[in-house]
Amino acid sequence: MRVGVVTFPGSLDDRDAQRAIRLAGADPVALWHGEHDLHGVDALVLPGGFSYGDYLRAGAIASLSPIMAEVIDAANKGMPVLGICNGFQMLTEAHLLGGGLIRNDHGSFICRDQQLRVENTATDWTSGFTAGQEITVPLKNGEGGFIASADTLARLEGEGHVVVRYLGLNPNGSLNDIAGITNARGNVVGLMPHPEHAVEPGFGPDTADAMRSGVDGLTFFSSVIQRVLAAA
């Protein structure tokens, strides 16, 4: 199982995503934004960071990078694609996911351990969770406020496309406390929180059970591995 991680100018969580993939049991493959080659990977991760300095809008320029033509084509053919934070912004800019992300409603960058509730376990990236499961994953963003038209929001909610929702507090003003969504097929998922920062005992979020329990993010990566191998 090979999972590609695309590096863009300004990516800063690509190595963390590669490590998470390795810990989950797959082989990470480094991909470069300027290429037109996915190197035969089975799934893709668009990592967090500040691609192209977040000029215009976060993720806007990256969504037009050369490799995104291949990413969009692969996603439309069913390849699992996970966009994390800046990667989520890219997916909305590329119209692989609905809605969009804007500046946090309080106007400040936020970094915290965030409680989430898993709403959809039918996607390639969340099948290892149980519906309603509460997890803790780090969050860090300045443009994390999820927005959508009333019709799009009603469709996302009505068709069960909300993947994870903020618990405890809404850190950025996202509509309906939405932290992540999926497409209708369930292969493309975008998240504002960073599961790659909660994959290793002793280095994850500080939970009630102590630091060494903070590995809730690992299930996103192990889920897709199990899905792809089962379908092989």
Side-chain angles (χ1 to χ4, degrees), residues 21-61:
I21 291 161
R22 190 176 296 110
L23 289 171
D27 293 327
V29 178
L31 302 176
W32 182 240
H33 74 109
E35 297 181 344
H36 280 286
D37 189 351
L38 298 183
H39 295 279
V41 299
D42 303 294
L44 287 162
V45 174
L46 304 180
F50 302 92
S51 60
Y52 295 93
D54 280 350
Y55 291 117
L56 299 183
R57 296 178 307 277
I61 299 176

Side-chain angles (χ1 to χ4, degrees), residues 194-209:
H194 286 260
E196 77 279 15
H197 295 324
V199 295
E200 192 169 9
F203 296 91
D206 187 3
T207 71
D209 298 320

Side-chain angles (χ1 to χ4, degrees), residues 8 44-47 58-60 62-63 68 71-72 75 79-101 125 181-183 187-191:
F8 300 84
L44 287 162
V45 174
L46 304 180
S63 72
M68 287 300 292
V71 172
I72 292 168
M79 180 179 288
V81 179
L82 176 66
I84 303 170
C85 196
N86 194 217
F88 185 9
Q89 294 159 343
M90 295 176 206
L91 292 176
T92 62
E93 292 286 344
H95 305 294
L96 286 172
L97 292 175
L101 288 308
W125 299 91
I181 60 173
T182 183
N183 64 347
N187 63 305
V188 179
V189 169
L191 306 169

